[in-house]
Amino acid sequence: MRTNQFGNQGWTPDRIKNLSGKTFVITGTTSGTGFEASKILLSKGARVVMLNRNLSKAKETIATLKHDLGNSIDVMNIQMDLAQQASVKKAATEVLEKVNRIDAFICNAAIAQVPKQTFTVDGFESQLGVNHYGNFLLQALLYPRIEESAGRIVVVGSMGYNLGIRTIQFEDMNWDNNYGPNEVYSQSKLAQIMCVYELQDRLKKADKDTVKVYACHPGASATSLIKTSGSLMTRFVWQIMKLTPLVQSAEKGAYPELMCATETDLDQSGFYGPTGRSYWTGPVGACKLEPHAKDKSVAEKLWEVSEEAVGYKWRF
């Protein structure tokens, strides 16, 4: 067991100081960790800009937050569907028009364990298209405002990165020949995490030291992620697991992304989340990241493939 820099209890939101004047942009906030992260940020005085696909759910979420925290909270929603590149571009344009600073952009939204091979409107396998390509493009489009703000990019990965083939299947990115719900989810999360450390390297090479980039994972948290996209059997098993000590609350699942978005002097080379057995639950701190997630040659190729796929080159 490694020593937790935040003590035996790990990191908790008690460490967050007053966030008045700071703006956080976060995807996927109508439930789960995204909702809980938004609520905690707002309770600390931050402005929160939520990016969600479902406008009616977003409206209900804002009403709930105002009921819980008061009508004076500064929260808004911008419609965006990570499965549609056009929607991502439109939402990014709206963010840049309405938001004059981004202290942290939190890539929280994801889909998981899609039972059968499904494609986005842009022709990407759905899990890779949403979890990786959608977030990759959105980060690139918002980067100029994040840089102006000396802000952060926080990518919510998953321990699932370590359950698949442990590299990127470049010869068949859509998994036409060997599709498996868990294997492809793992691939999408590995891609997300690899690009965090590749982005760090590219920022350093460009002498850009104002933007910090972090990777984290929520552990096993009681969210609706599996419920919204997993198979019937996967959903059934997950509902049972949520009743056991193996799974923590969505609120605790939000702690790692909140830490990465607010904690000062946090080492960018780390991978953060619950530090208990199998990293499912427990005190939040630094977790071991397997070497294949920082394979430089694979990460460089993945970056180039991703830029080509989304038709946009990062501008540093």
Side-chain angles (χ1 to χ4, degrees):
M1 290 291 291
R2 60 181 63 196
T3 302
N4 192 317
Q5 70 184 96
F6 303 106
N8 292 337
Q9 298 303 310
W11 187 94
T12 67
D14 294 339
R15 293 180 59 89
I16 303 178
K17 297 179 174 61
N18 187 291
L19 296 176
S20 297
K22 294 187 180 294
T23 299
F24 297 81
V25 177
I26 178 170
T27 64
T29 65
T30 57
S31 65
T33 55
F35 173 82
E36 299 295 344
S38 298
K39 186 174 182 178
I40 291 171
L41 291 169
L42 288 163
S43 74
K44 300 288 185 176
R47 180 189 190 195
V48 173
V49 179
M50 311 187 305
L51 302 179
N52 292 291
R53 176 178 56 85
N54 190 313
L55 285 179
S56 62
K57 284 186 178 180
K59 186 176 180 180
E60 292 172 6
T61 298
I62 290 175
T64 299
L65 289 168
K66 288 187 174 182
H67 176 269
D68 293 348
L69 301 174
N71 288 324
S72 63
I73 59 173
D74 192 350
V75 59
M76 65 177 290
N77 182 74
I78 291 174
Q79 186 175 30
M80 184 200 66
D81 186 350
L82 280 170
Q84 300 180 20
Q85 299 275 296
S87 177
V88 171
K89 292 174 183 176
K90 184 175 182 292
T93 298
E94 192 171 346
V95 170
L96 295 175
E97 288 173 351
K98 296 181 176 179
V99 180
N100 60 11
R101 66 177 293 126
I102 300 176
D103 292 278
F105 168 45
I106 305 175
C107 299
N108 171 80
I111 60 173
Q113 281 88 33
V114 178
K116 296 180 180 179
Q117 185 189 37
T118 307
F119 298 97
T120 69
V121 295
D122 302 291
F124 304 132
E125 183 284 317
S126 61
Q127 294 187 82
L128 196 67
V130 170
N131 299 348
H132 175 56
Y133 288 140
N135 282 302
F136 183 85
L137 176 61
L138 188 55
Q139 289 172 43
L141 295 171
L142 296 183
Y143 172 78
R145 185 59 38 83
I146 299 169
E147 183 184 24
E148 290 170 10
S149 312
R152 303 181 181 196
I153 296 172
V154 179
V155 173
V156 181
S158 166
M159 285 305 298
Y161 86 92
N162 198 33
L163 300 177
I165 60 174
R166 301 195 171 205
T167 188
I168 301 299
Q169 186 172 277
F170 291 115
E171 71 279 8
D172 183 12
M173 293 291 280
N174 274 348
W175 291 68
D176 292 326
N177 298 316
N178 56 340
Y179 183 86
N182 295 315
E183 292 84 351
V184 180
Y185 175 68
S186 175
Q187 182 87 157
S188 71
K189 285 298 176 178
L190 176 60
Q192 278 191 281
I193 292 168
M194 292 191 91
C195 281
V196 166
Y197 303 106
E198 180 61 19
L199 177 54
Q200 290 175 3
D201 288 349
R202 289 174 184 251
L203 288 171
K204 185 176 181 180
K205 187 176 180 180
D207 291 323
K208 302 283 188 178
D209 58 3
T210 57
V211 174
K212 290 181 168 60
V213 193
Y214 296 97
C216 63
H217 73 93
S221 302
T223 73
S224 62
L225 180 61
I226 300 297
K227 182 180 177 181
T228 55
S229 53
S231 68
L232 183 61
M233 180 56 71
T234 301
R235 284 179 282 170
F236 175 76
V237 172
W238 180 241
Q239 289 303 117
I240 299 299
M241 285 182 61
K242 282 163 66 172
L243 302 175
T244 75
L246 295 173
V247 176
Q248 63 186 358
S249 67
E251 180 184 351
K252 287 187 176 180
Y255 288 4
E257 62 194 80
L258 288 168
M259 177 181 71
C260 291
T262 62
E263 184 66 33
T264 57
D265 301 321
L266 195 64
D267 182 3
Q268 292 185 82
S269 68
F271 181 53
Y272 299 97
T275 58
R277 187 176 181 180
S278 300
Y279 298 146
W280 281 27
T281 61
V284 171
C287 303
K288 179 184 178 183
L289 187 71
E290 295 301 325
H292 70 276
K294 287 189 176 183
D295 187 314
K296 183 63 178 171
S297 62
V298 174
E300 286 179 340
K301 183 173 180 179
L302 173 63
W303 188 278
E304 292 162 5
V305 166
S306 300
E307 284 191 330
E308 184 176 353
V310 303
Y312 188 88
K313 283 190 173 293
W314 281 67
R315 298 182 178 94
F316 298 113

